[in-house]
Amino acid sequence: MKITVSYYIKKYRYLLLGFFLMIAACSPENSGLVGYSYHNVTAKYNAFFIANEKLQEVLLEIEDAHQNNFNRVLKVKAPIDTNIVNANQEKVDDIIKKASIAIQRHKVSKWVDDSYILVGIARMLNREYEESIETLKYVNVNSKDDQTKYLALTYLVRTFTEYGELNNALAVIDYLNRQKLSKANKRKLYLNAAHYYQILNDPNNVIKYLSAAIKLMSKGPEKAKMHFILGQLYQKSKLDAVAYDNYGEVLNNRPPYELSFYARLNMAQVTELSKGEDIKKIRKYFEQLLKDGKNVDFKDKIYYEMGEFELKQGNIEEAIPFYKSSIENSVDNQRQKSFSYHKLGLLYFDELKKYPLAKAYYDSAYKIMPEDETIYQQVATRQSVLSDFIKQINTIQENDSLVSLAQMDSSAINKIFLAQRNERIEKEKEEKRKRERAERNQAANNKTTAFEQGPNIQTNTAPGGGFYFYDQATVAQGRNTFKRIWGNRSLQDDWRMKRTQVFDESRSEEQESAPKESVADREEDLSEEDLIAQEREKFFNSIPFEKEQQEKLLNEMEIAYYKLGNIYNFDLQEKKDAIDTYETLLSRFPKTEYRAEILYLLYIYYEDKEEVKAQTFANELLKSFPNTIFAKLIENPNYQEESNLASAKVKVIYEKAYRLYQNENYQGAIKEINEGLNNYPENDYEDNLKLLEALITGITDGKNPYKFKLQSFMENYPESELYSFSKSLLAAIDNLDKKRQQNEQIKYVPFFEQAHYFVVLYEKNKALAGVLPQEIEDFGNKFFPEQELKSGNLVFNDDYSMILLSEFEGKEIAEAFFKKFNSDLSPLKNFKSLNFSNFVISKDNFQIFYQAKVADSYTEFFNTNYQVTP
């Protein structure tokens, strides 16, 4: 708990005063007046004061723990963090306890209502909203002081807002706006109203109430924050001049450094530029921010805003390096880093049309962007599209190269192999030279640094005095210096070793795709000739010389061209690239299964551009694919709408037929089905009608016609959503036939003059296996004690277990037990949701049943030969 000096002074000073007032109250002539004063002083400076101090501590901790996201409009009120409240639960409970003391022990004091308000706020922090609302309403109804009533209602606005009762919150705001509030109450109302409208995403009213609140606030960090929020809202509304003024007011109100930094940064964004000198001035301002040592942790944000500034001027090529610098200088702000990745992906996607690069940046943005960002889903969608896009491009290029190689003679292939090998070796040598040059330069820089700095004396003192690690700017500067010299190395033994892996995000993809070991650095266990021969053999083995291999690759290319064209056409909205891809597909694969669809898409594209070309595609489509939906759309542009109308009518017919089927009116259902099929031959419910017809056939005509109908349905509607269901129905018929054949082979013996068992068959369940046997045994011993029954649990087959209760003297006593067991007294009545079956069986038949392992094979025999009806 944070205890201030003023706390002790106030507390004990008024305790003494209270003590003297208590003594004075003993005098009869002073008892009334002094007693009232005593209760006021004691209530205020003991219970109420302590409760209020603790409440302010908790509220301050909630405010401090909230991480501001400066890429969005800041929150007027920090969200109530339940983790912080839970960590301070003892304090919150003590607030309620202390405030209750003031209420109970000092009922005549004027601080009772204020103490109730503290209880209401504490209840709100505990998310006990209904109790909080009742407490604050109580103050409003029972307090004799108007301003105290209004104070309770301002907090009621916040409680209603947090509870989600937004209509009630608005009603209280409207009521208070009509009352004569004190300056302090007006300020609280306006801030809580601004918070309410921010929850509603109503920026105009947020501006209205914040502007009113600011006029009533004293200079300080809170007022600075409200000016910053106003600046953000005006900036989003394109009112740059007003935004600039509010950001300027932030700097006049003693803001924390972070708020001050972002205010200055945003001022640069909203500065009205009219001359080239203004642009130079802003650029110089950004450079000054970069040089300021206090901004080490903000370099990523500065570079990002420099990119945004250049982009605003239309300088895309100048903006890109700044976004990349933002990524390189990101220390621990993954959110900001994801924005820079996204911006680069956006530029390469929308402006430069370099999709492989766009994909790489979108991959990085998607990987690290927090999911609470509003653009997260957009990033995820585009990342997925680009991943598919690059996959199709790579498939086409790789397969095309392999198929082309397969058509060449061996000498031509050998030349290509040697050329690629030499190119790879030269590249590896060049990379090695670059690494060695970089290492020499680094070593020289280290020597120069060491010479300039003198002896390396380690110190824990920061440049400005004080312990080194207490100065965050110094720590960040040291971290960046280490990263610049050594790279982003993990904390481990021998981290200085040359071969320790250094992760550089900007080169990660390149490193992953690079060979694990270069040819130039490899140990020469083989001669050069043997090595070349080995590599040549591997190269030749990767070429698809077999016809089947080539056909497989060509089929993959055909599909890739189709998917690539659709990505261009529908996802990227690049119509010209889509048409080029479609035409290439038709040229390379003239018999493609997608030809009808592509002809239609080409017709649509050229219809208002080149009428003759469009008609060529239309004629081919009508001639070669007359029965497709694409041909019908050319003949009748309203075909789709008419088809949808027909489907809507057939849906009504189908629903009527299905109701008749459920009511077992099969003739009426068939009549409706025939009407739908005959009057509307092409509709979206044709498959539903056909399957319903098959189901009715199974009931009215038997198994074989039913089976034939299902087989016909599967042949005619392979793309139907009901295909899997029809397949399962057909499989069920086959399984039923197999079971019947199995049951016919199992012969039970009609000899009953022998001992019997009682069997409970149930689906395997470990929990039941541990409970049911004892339950059933207890039931048997309770109602048939003379039989001395014992239970046991057996595995029957892969699906079922069984409980065996033995043994009964004969058939009659076993039947009596079966009837009792299946009465209202059954021990299974608490397990009705589970699937059980039970029966009695002779010893001989049990051996047959247990060996057969067919669960329903005994059912017919049991029902025929045992008197089991109650």
Side-chain angles (χ1 to χ4, degrees):
M1 175 180 172
K2 183 180 176 184
I3 303 296
T4 61
V5 174
S6 63
Y7 169 76
Y8 286 111
I9 293 173
K10 290 179 180 180
K11 179 177 178 180
Y12 293 111
R13 182 178 66 185
Y14 287 103
L15 274 176
L16 290 171
L17 177 59
F19 176 72
F20 290 121
L21 287 171
M22 182 175 65
I23 294 172
C26 296
S27 172
E29 64 272 15
N30 295 329
S31 60
L33 177 61
V34 176
Y36 177 70
S37 300
Y38 161 75
H39 284 293
N40 276 335
V41 171
T42 309
K44 179 178 181 181
Y45 292 107
N46 277 354
F48 176 83
F49 177 81
I50 296 171
N52 190 51
E53 284 284 293
K54 290 187 176 183
L55 176 62
Q56 298 311 315
E57 289 171 16
V58 176
L59 293 176
L60 182 61
E61 191 168 341
I62 290 172
E63 188 73 35
D64 290 343
H66 175 61
Q67 296 292 319
N68 287 317
N69 182 358
F70 285 92
N71 296 295
R72 295 187 192 174
V73 177
L74 299 189
K75 302 289 186 184
V76 175
K77 296 280 186 181
I80 297 173
D81 189 335
T82 53
N83 294 323
I84 300 295
V85 175
N86 291 338
N88 288 277
Q89 193 59 56
E90 190 176 340
K91 267 185 194 176
V92 176
D93 292 342
D94 202 38
I95 293 166
I96 296 172
K97 181 180 177 182
K98 292 290 191 297
S100 299
I101 290 172
I103 294 168
Q104 294 167 6
R105 297 184 185 177
H106 307 286
K107 295 180 181 179
V108 299
S109 78
K110 63 181 182 181
W111 294 98
V112 170
D113 295 336
D114 299 85
S115 298
Y116 270 118
I117 292 173
L118 294 186
V119 172
I121 299 169
R123 295 294 188 199
M124 179 187 68
L125 295 178
N126 272 339
R127 304 187 75 177
E128 298 169 355
Y129 297 118
E130 292 180 2
E131 292 84 348
S132 174
I133 290 167
E134 289 304 315
T135 304
L136 295 171
K137 282 183 175 180
Y138 176 85
V139 177
N140 178 53
V141 172
N142 293 283
S143 178
K144 296 178 181 178
D145 180 69
D146 286 344
Q147 294 306 320
T148 304
K149 289 182 177 183
Y150 300 150
L151 177 63
L153 291 178
T154 62
Y155 286 113
L156 187 61
V157 171
R158 178 74 187 274
T159 305
F160 275 138
T161 303
E162 298 299 330
Y163 195 26
E165 293 193 2
L166 301 180
N167 289 335
N168 287 336
L170 180 59
V172 179
I173 291 170
D174 289 342
Y175 171 78
L176 287 175
N177 275 328
R178 297 192 298 271
Q179 309 308 313
K180 293 183 178 180
L181 275 62
S182 66
K183 180 179 177 182
N185 282 342
K186 278 185 180 179
R187 184 176 66 250
K188 285 185 172 65
L189 168 64
Y190 295 155
L191 290 175
N192 284 327
H195 170 66
Y196 164 82
Y197 281 109
Q198 192 171 47
I199 297 295
L200 282 182
N201 194 25
D202 183 350
N204 291 333
N205 273 310
V206 177
I207 290 172
K208 169 186 169 182
Y209 281 102
L210 274 189
S211 299
I214 283 172
K215 295 175 183 177
L216 304 171
M217 297 173 74
S218 302
K219 273 195 171 186
E222 186 182 15
K223 187 173 183 179
K225 179 184 174 183
M226 299 309 146
H227 272 298
F228 188 87
I229 294 172
L230 280 176
Q232 289 179 302
L233 292 171
Y234 282 122
Q235 186 176 354
K236 288 187 72 174
S237 301
K238 308 298 183 185
L239 298 172
D240 289 353
V242 190
Y244 185 91
D245 292 340
N246 275 281
Y247 289 135
E249 286 299 320
V250 173
L251 304 178
N252 295 330
N253 279 276
R254 305 192 302 277
Y257 183 74
E258 186 178 38
L259 196 66
S260 168
F261 166 79
Y262 279 102
R264 289 188 171 92
L265 207 58
N266 290 1
M267 287 175 76
Q269 295 175 6
V270 297
T271 300
E272 294 184 3
L273 303 176
S274 57
K275 306 175 186 175
E277 288 298 319
D278 291 336
I279 295 174
K280 290 179 182 178
K281 183 179 178 181
I282 296 298
R283 286 173 178 158
K284 188 175 181 181
Y285 175 70
F286 281 129
E287 290 171 4
Q288 290 172 347
L289 288 175
L290 286 172
K291 291 176 182 177
D292 191 336
K294 296 191 293 296
N295 293 337
V296 170
D297 284 344
F298 300 114
K299 277 190 174 183
D300 54 349
K301 180 64 178 176
I302 297 170
Y303 277 119
Y304 180 83
E305 293 302 332
M306 292 173 79
E308 292 286 275
F309 178 78
E310 295 300 338
L311 201 59
K312 196 174 180 181
Q313 312 312 312
N315 303 325
I316 295 175
E317 295 299 331
E318 288 79 1
I320 288 174
F322 288 127
Y323 293 124
K324 291 180 178 179
S325 295
S326 175
I327 293 168
E328 291 168 4
N329 284 271
S330 180
V331 179
D332 54 10
N333 190 346
Q334 292 292 83
R335 192 182 295 270
Q336 179 57 56
K337 195 173 189 177
S338 71
F339 291 153
S340 300
Y341 277 129
H342 172 241
K343 185 63 73 168
L344 286 167
L346 205 61
L347 289 175
Y348 282 116
F349 184 97
D350 288 336
E351 303 295 336
L352 303 178
K353 312 297 182 188
K354 295 181 179 180
Y355 298 117
L357 272 174
K359 188 240 180 217
Y361 285 114
Y362 266 103
D363 284 346
S364 298
Y366 173 70
K367 184 177 179 181
I368 66 172
M369 181 173 284
E371 293 186 21
D372 62 349
E373 281 298 330
T374 54
I375 60 171
Y376 175 80
Q377 196 54 53
Q378 176 197 339
V379 170
T381 301
R382 190 165 282 192
Q383 184 266 346
S384 176
V385 168
L386 286 172
S387 293
D388 194 21
F389 177 87
I390 297 301
K391 178 184 176 183
Q392 308 314 324
I393 289 283
N394 290 340
T395 298
I396 292 169
Q397 292 176 347
E398 291 171 9
N399 289 13
D400 197 26
S401 298
L402 289 171
V403 172
S404 298
L405 282 171
Q407 311 302 321
M408 299 180 182
D409 57 44
S410 57
S411 61
I413 295 174
N414 190 53
K415 287 181 181 178
I416 291 174
F417 159 70
L418 291 173
Q420 288 184 359
R421 185 178 187 275
N422 291 335
E423 182 181 350
R424 188 181 73 249
I425 290 172
E426 284 302 316
K427 184 178 179 181
E428 290 173 353
K429 288 179 177 178
E430 179 60 29
E431 287 177 354
K432 182 181 178 182
R433 286 193 290 269
K434 286 181 180 179
R435 285 197 304 272
E436 291 173 347
R437 188 160 54 247
E439 287 170 2
R440 287 196 298 270
N441 291 339
Q442 188 62 62
N445 289 338
N446 290 344
K447 287 181 181 179
T448 303
T449 303
F451 177 78
E452 290 173 352
Q453 291 180 346
N456 184 18
I457 301 174
Q458 198 168 14
T459 176
N460 289 333
T461 305
F467 184 51
Y468 175 89
F469 289 102
Y470 287 171
D471 189 324
Q472 292 302 315
T474 307
V475 171
Q477 190 172 6
R479 187 190 299 119
N480 286 342
T481 303
F482 178 89
K483 184 177 177 182
R484 175 172 50 79
I485 297 173
W486 296 102
N488 212 2
R489 301 203 174 194
S490 60
L491 185 61
Q492 60 183 16
D493 292 339
D494 301 324
W495 60 268
R496 294 183 182 84
M497 296 294 289
K498 177 181 176 182
R499 291 190 178 273
T500 299
Q501 183 180 4
V502 179
F503 180 74
D504 182 353
E505 286 183 350
S506 65
R507 297 174 54 199
S508 60
E509 290 189 18
E510 180 183 339
Q511 289 173 344
E512 286 176 5
S513 61
K516 299 289 184 184
E517 183 182 6
S518 70
V519 174
D521 290 339
R522 189 183 304 156
E523 292 290 335
E524 295 294 340
D525 294 332
L526 300 172
S527 66
E528 182 70 14
E529 291 78 10
D530 290 340
L531 190 60
I532 293 174
Q534 192 180 76
E535 292 180 7
R536 183 187 290 109
E537 182 181 2
K538 186 177 179 181
F539 184 78
F540 271 74
N541 288 338
S542 68
I543 299 173
F545 291 110
E546 299 294 331
K547 185 177 180 181
E548 292 79 8
Q549 293 175 318
Q550 293 177 27
E551 287 178 352
K552 182 186 176 198
L553 294 178
L554 289 169
N555 183 56
E556 289 176 357
M557 286 177 63
E558 177 186 344
I559 296 171
Y561 270 117
Y562 173 73
K563 289 183 176 180
L564 183 64
N566 286 344
I567 292 170
Y568 272 129
N569 195 19
F570 302 112
D571 296 318
L572 303 181
Q573 295 295 312
E574 295 292 340
K575 300 297 183 181
K576 186 64 177 69
D577 290 328
I579 295 307
D580 291 343
T581 306
Y582 288 145
E583 289 180 339
T584 302
L585 173 56
L586 293 184
S587 173
R588 296 200 61 175
F589 303 95
K591 296 182 179 180
T592 176
E593 62 177 298
Y594 307 112
R595 189 171 189 90
E597 180 181 351
I598 292 171
L599 287 171
Y600 179 73
L601 292 172
L602 291 170
Y603 163 77
I604 292 296
Y605 177 78
Y606 285 112
E607 188 177 18
D608 56 354
K609 295 179 178 65
E610 298 181 39
E611 189 176 344
V612 175
K613 202 169 186 177
Q615 194 58 47
T616 302
F617 292 123
N619 291 339
E620 183 184 347
L621 184 56
L622 293 169
K623 181 180 178 182
S624 303
F625 308 97
N627 295 322
T628 62
I629 187 174
F630 306 109
K632 291 172 182 176
L633 283 169
I634 289 178
E635 289 178 327
N636 178 13
N638 297 322
Y639 171 79
Q640 191 67 55
E641 289 77 6
E642 292 174 3
S643 177
N644 291 340
L645 180 61
S647 294
K649 292 179 179 178
V650 175
K651 181 183 178 183
V652 175
I653 293 173
Y654 170 74
E655 289 174 348
K656 184 177 179 182
Y658 190 78
R659 283 196 301 272
L660 291 169
Y661 161 74
Q662 287 180 313
N663 294 327
E664 300 182 6
N665 185 352
Y666 303 121
Q667 293 296 330
I670 288 292
K671 182 181 178 182
E672 292 294 333
I673 290 171
N674 290 334
E675 181 184 342
L677 293 173
N678 294 332
N679 295 339
Y680 305 97
E682 293 182 4
N683 61 79
D684 293 340
Y685 281 85
E686 183 178 338
D687 54 341
N688 297 66
L689 291 170
K690 281 290 186 181
L691 186 58
L692 183 57
E693 182 185 35
L695 293 173
I696 295 172
T697 300
I699 297 171
T700 58
D701 298 343
K703 183 186 71 174
N704 290 331
Y706 177 45
K707 193 172 181 178
F708 174 77
K709 287 279 187 182
L710 288 176
Q711 290 171 338
S712 299
F713 178 87
M714 293 173 65
E715 289 175 7
N716 295 326
Y717 303 97
E719 302 298 325
S720 171
E721 293 179 354
L722 300 171
Y723 181 86
S724 297
F725 178 60
S726 64
K727 188 176 181 181
S728 67
L729 293 175
L730 198 58
I733 296 173
D734 294 336
N735 290 335
L736 186 60
D737 288 341
K738 289 178 183 177
K739 284 184 179 181
R740 283 179 179 171
Q741 291 173 4
Q742 287 176 336
N743 290 345
E744 288 173 1
Q745 294 172 359
I746 301 168
K747 301 295 182 181
Y748 290 102
V749 181
F751 174 65
F752 306 108
E753 300 302 321
Q754 56 179 302
H756 277 65
Y757 299 141
F758 175 74
V759 175
V760 175
L761 204 63
Y762 64 95
E763 292 179 358
K764 281 186 176 179
N765 186 309
K766 288 184 179 180
L768 289 178
V771 175
L772 277 184
Q774 190 61 48
E775 289 274 342
I776 293 172
E777 184 176 317
D778 291 345
F779 179 85
N781 291 327
K782 178 179 179 181
F783 293 101
F784 294 82
E786 69 282 357
Q787 297 295 310
E788 297 182 356
L789 301 168
K790 299 293 180 185
S791 66
N793 197 74
L794 297 173
V795 174
F796 181 64
N797 57 24
D798 292 339
D799 300 317
Y800 289 93
S801 293
M802 63 191 305
I803 296 168
L804 187 69
L805 189 65
S806 65
E807 60 187 31
F808 294 93
E809 294 174 355
K811 179 183 178 185
E812 291 76 14
I813 192 70
E815 288 175 333
F817 180 85
F818 178 87
K819 292 176 183 178
K820 176 70 73 173
F821 187 87
N822 287 282
S823 69
D824 293 339
L825 300 172
S826 174
L828 299 184
K829 64 184 179 182
N830 295 324
F831 303 96
K832 289 181 179 178
S833 61
L834 301 175
N835 187 19
F836 292 96
S837 63
N838 62 88
F839 49 85
V840 291
I841 188 169
S842 66
K843 268 191 172 184
D844 291 344
N845 283 334
F846 178 76
Q847 296 300 324
I848 297 170
F849 176 73
Y850 191 67
Q851 289 176 6
K853 303 289 187 186
V854 179
D856 57 355
S857 63
Y858 181 69
T859 305
E860 186 176 348
F861 182 89
F862 173 69
N863 291 334
T864 302
N865 293 283
Y866 286 86
Q867 300 296 322
V868 293
T869 305

